[in-house]
């Protein structure tokens, strides 16, 4: 009888042992609680997309289709109005000479997005949630504030882009402030689409990307750029005859392409697929398909960006204000005082670019340009809303209703945007865009350093932690990107020519560099620089292990 009881106990223990063995890949999971079960933690994850089973091929289009969605939503940040303006200025100021910078920045962006997706897949948590658990209170709050500033800056550009597009489509009848108010309604579009299913929402974003591709592709065909010069500028790293203007534009391209809040966004979007994180093979497979999907999505976004650069390189490179005055006077599309009568190099932005396209290629080009900008702005404002939600929920652990969360995140960005729209002229927004690009450039370390830190920690990623090659290359990439963007900030500040602003910038820079140094310290220890692992840094390691022990899934045993 005792032998039978012992045999039963062994049979009961063995499943638990097997389960504990497979659970090693669910290293960091959100703690289960009655509250978390009653109300979904995030709007985006009320339903999860099922992944097809019993597919034995090395590559399956069915599985790729199931994983398709998050990468395309992420790629919209590479097509927002801020990127479009950077593209058109690149073409107008440097022709095709900076296309290789755009290609390199997109490849770097893809590698960083891969780290973000891996963190979400392996841990089941997005970057904001991991930061909330790993950093102490003060750094965590400071990190949240910095990321919110990046989201606000990006959202202002996106909403202003929509307002400019509406102004162009209405031939100036809709003022900038009215366009901003109209754009606010995308909050309700967001709520409506999200209510009717995740795949429908992703299909809508796919439709907007298609509209952008067709609109800017039409401009590309009409402009008929020199293909040989385009390919030469894309694959040969040169910039003959370039000066400080082209150098600053090259730096601006990197800052516009690599957006800090997009790292947080992508790490959260990948949680929308039904993946068994207790199964190493499923996690590995999910990482593979997400990387393929992100590559396809960023390739499409790169082509759309190339369309814009090529159009403005072909039509506007080397042109002067007098040239545009003469051309637009023939068509009657030129508003008063848009371009002064002088021989200075033509300065264009999204609004002026649309007017000039209409002058050169006809009114249809103007309206199609505006439609593309509207699609870019509308889609990016909605993904910006998602970013705001994930960041607030992750850092602050908010558990509000869907409507309250969305309304708050939209209000944070809409209020300063509306003030700008009321007091700023639609024809003179270039200065504001430069300031917002600088603002976002300064926030890059607060996304890039944490994502490299946590994806390099074995205690968080287990077998999927970054290897030595990824650690070294990732560290170099982040160092280069941050250095480039700091140069952009220095150039912008020195151009202000104000002693008071210099002093203020110096004080802010000191505090800023101290915080970046703090994050870099943790990152270097995670990368294996053990000589720096002293003092409070040990608290982070113990903090991680405690969470790994207490926050496993409920079936861990």
């Amino acid at each position: 009888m005792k032998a039978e009881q012992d045999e039963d106990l062994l049979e009961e223990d063995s499943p638990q042992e097997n389960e504990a063995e497979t659970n090693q890949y669910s290293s960091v999971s959100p703690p289960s609680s009655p509250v978390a079960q009653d109300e979904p933690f995030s709007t985006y994850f009320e339903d999860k997309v099922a992944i097809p089973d019993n597919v034995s091929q090395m590559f399956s289009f069915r599985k790729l289709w199931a994983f398709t969605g998050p990468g395309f939503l992420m790629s919209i940040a590479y097509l927002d109005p801020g990127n479009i303006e950077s593209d058109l200025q690149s073409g107008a100021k440097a022709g095709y000479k900076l296309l290789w910078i755009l290609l390199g920045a997109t490849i770097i962006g893809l590698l960083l997005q891969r780290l973000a997706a891996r963190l979400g897949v392996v841990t089941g948590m997005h970057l904001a949630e991991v930061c909330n658990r790993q950093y102490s209170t003060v750094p965590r709050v400071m990190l949240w504030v910095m990321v919110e500033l990046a989201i606000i800056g990006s959202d202002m550009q996106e909403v202003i882009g929509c307002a400019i597009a509406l102004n162009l489509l209405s031939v100036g009848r809709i003022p900038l402030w009215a366009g901003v108010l109209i754009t606010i309604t995308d909050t309700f579009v967001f709520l409506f689409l999200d209510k009717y299913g995740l795949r429908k929402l992703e299909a809508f974003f796919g439709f907007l990307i298609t509209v952008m591709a067709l609109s800017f592709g039409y401009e590309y065909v009409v402009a008929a750029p020199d293909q040989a010069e385009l390919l030469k500028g894309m694959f040969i790293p040169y910039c003959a005859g370039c000066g400080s203007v082209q150098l600053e534009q090259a730096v601006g391209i990197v800052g516009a392409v690599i957006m800090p809040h997009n790292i947080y966004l992508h790490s959260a979007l990948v949680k929308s697929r039904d993946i068994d994180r207790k199964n190493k093979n499923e996690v590995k497979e999910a990482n593979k398909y997400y990387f393929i999907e992100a590559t396809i999505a960023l390739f499409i976004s790169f082509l759309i960006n190339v369309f814009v650069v090529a159009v403005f390189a072909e039509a506007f490179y080397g042109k002067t204000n007098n040239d545009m005055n003469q051309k637009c006077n023939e068509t009657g599309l030129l508003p008063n005082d848009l371009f002064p009568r002088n021989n200075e190099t033509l300065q264009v932005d999204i609004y002026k670019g649309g007017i000039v396209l209409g002058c050169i290629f006809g009114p249809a080009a103007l309206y199609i340009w505006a439609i593309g900008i509207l699609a870019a702005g509308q889609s990016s404002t909605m993904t910006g809303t998602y970013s705001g939600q994930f960041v607030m929920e992750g850092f602050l652990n908010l558990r509000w209703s869907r409507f309250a969360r969305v309304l708050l995140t939209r209000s944070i960005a809409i209020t300063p945007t509306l003030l700008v729209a009321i007091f700023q002229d639609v024809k003179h927004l270039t200065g504001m865009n430069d300031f917002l690009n600088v603002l976002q450039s300064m926030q890059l370390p607060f996304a890039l350093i944490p994502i490299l830190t946590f994806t390099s920690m074995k205690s968080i990623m287990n077998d999927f932690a970054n290897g030595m090659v990824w650690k070294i290359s990732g560290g170099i990439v982040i160092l280069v990107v941050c250095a480039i963007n700091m140069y952009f900030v220095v150039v912008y500040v020195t151009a202000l020519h104000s002693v008071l602003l210099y002093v203020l910038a110096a004080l802010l820079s000191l505090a800023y560099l101290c915080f970046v140094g703090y994050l870099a310290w943790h990152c270097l220890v995670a990368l294996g620089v053990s000589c720096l692992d002293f003092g409070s840094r040990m608290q982070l390691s113990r903090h991680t292990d405690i969470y790994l022990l207490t926050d496993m899934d409920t079936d861990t045993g």
Side-chain angles (χ1 to χ4, degrees), residues 253-265:
I253 290 174
V254 178
V257 169
I258 303 173
M259 319 252 325
H261 66 277
N262 208 35
I263 304 295
Y264 288 86
L265 175 68

Side-chain angles (χ1 to χ4, degrees), residues 77-96 98-99 101-103 105-106 212 216 249 252-254 256-257 300-314 316 348-350 369 373 376 437:
Y78 292 73
L79 296 168
D80 69 353
N83 275 282
I84 300 301
E85 177 151 347
S86 174
D87 293 336
L88 64 88
Q89 289 184 357
S90 172
K93 293 178 180 179
Y96 304 101
L98 299 180
L99 277 175
I101 298 286
L102 177 63
L103 176 61
T106 304
M212 283 185 268
F216 300 133
Q249 188 57 46
I253 290 174
V254 178
V257 169
I300 294 173
S301 72
F302 173 72
L303 288 181
I304 295 174
N305 283 313
V306 169
F307 290 162
V308 178
V309 174
V311 167
F312 282 82
E314 186 68 24
F316 308 133
V348 292
D349 53 27
I350 290 177
W369 168 260
I373 295 297
N437 284 334

Side-chain angles (χ1 to χ4, degrees), residues 186-392:
D186 72 359
T187 298
F188 303 101
V189 174
F190 166 85
L191 289 171
F192 175 80
L193 290 173
D194 187 72
K195 179 181 178 181
Y196 285 95
L198 177 61
R199 293 300 266 178
K200 293 182 177 65
L201 180 68
E202 293 174 346
F204 177 70
F205 281 105
F207 168 74
L208 292 177
I209 293 174
T210 304
V211 170
M212 283 185 268
L214 294 176
S215 300
F216 300 133
Y218 169 84
E219 309 285 358
Y220 180 83
V221 172
V222 170
D226 187 331
Q227 300 300 311
E229 287 296 316
L230 185 147
L231 293 175
K232 181 180 176 183
M234 187 181 301
F235 295 109
I236 300 179
Y238 84 114
C239 195
C242 291
S244 60
V245 173
Q246 288 76 21
L247 178 60
E248 291 175 21
Q249 188 57 46
V251 173
I253 290 174
V254 178
V257 169
I258 303 173
M259 319 252 325
H261 66 277
N262 208 35
I263 304 295
Y264 288 86
L265 175 68
H266 198 198
S267 67
L269 294 176
V270 296
K271 294 169 58 178
S272 60
R273 269 47 183 180
D274 190 10
I275 303 167
D276 182 9
R277 292 189 301 107
K278 299 184 293 292
N279 187 318
K280 180 180 179 180
N281 290 330
E282 285 197 24
V283 174
K284 186 176 181 180
E285 183 181 65
N287 285 327
K288 178 182 75 173
Y289 282 108
Y290 274 134
F291 182 66
I292 294 172
E293 186 230 5
T295 303
I296 296 171
L298 289 189
F299 176 72
I300 294 173
S301 72
F302 173 72
L303 288 181
I304 295 174
N305 283 313
V306 169
F307 290 162
V308 178
V309 174
V311 167
F312 282 82
E314 186 68 24
F316 308 133
Y317 180 53
K319 297 295 191 301
T320 65
N321 289 322
N322 272 334
D323 295 334
M324 286 303 104
N325 256 304
Q326 182 179 357
K327 192 72 178 177
C328 288
N329 283 335
E330 296 173 1
T331 61
L333 285 175
L334 179 65
N336 293 330
D337 302 326
L338 187 60
F339 297 108
R341 293 182 177 275
N342 56 45
N343 286 321
E344 294 182 6
T345 304
L346 180 67
Q347 300 290 330
V348 292
D349 53 27
I350 290 177
Y351 176 76
K352 295 176 182 178
I355 296 294
V356 175
L357 282 174
C359 294
I360 296 179
F361 302 116
L366 185 152
Y367 294 122
I368 291 174
W369 168 260
I371 290 172
I373 295 297
L374 183 63
Q378 188 69 23
S379 57
S380 54
T381 53
M382 294 173 69
T383 54
T385 302
Y386 270 133
S387 299
Q389 282 186 262
F390 295 139
V391 166
M392 292 190 71

Side-chain angles (χ1 to χ4, degrees), residues 116 141 173 240 244 346 403 479:
V141 172
R173 293 185 179 89
S244 60
L346 180 67
F403 183 82
L479 183 63

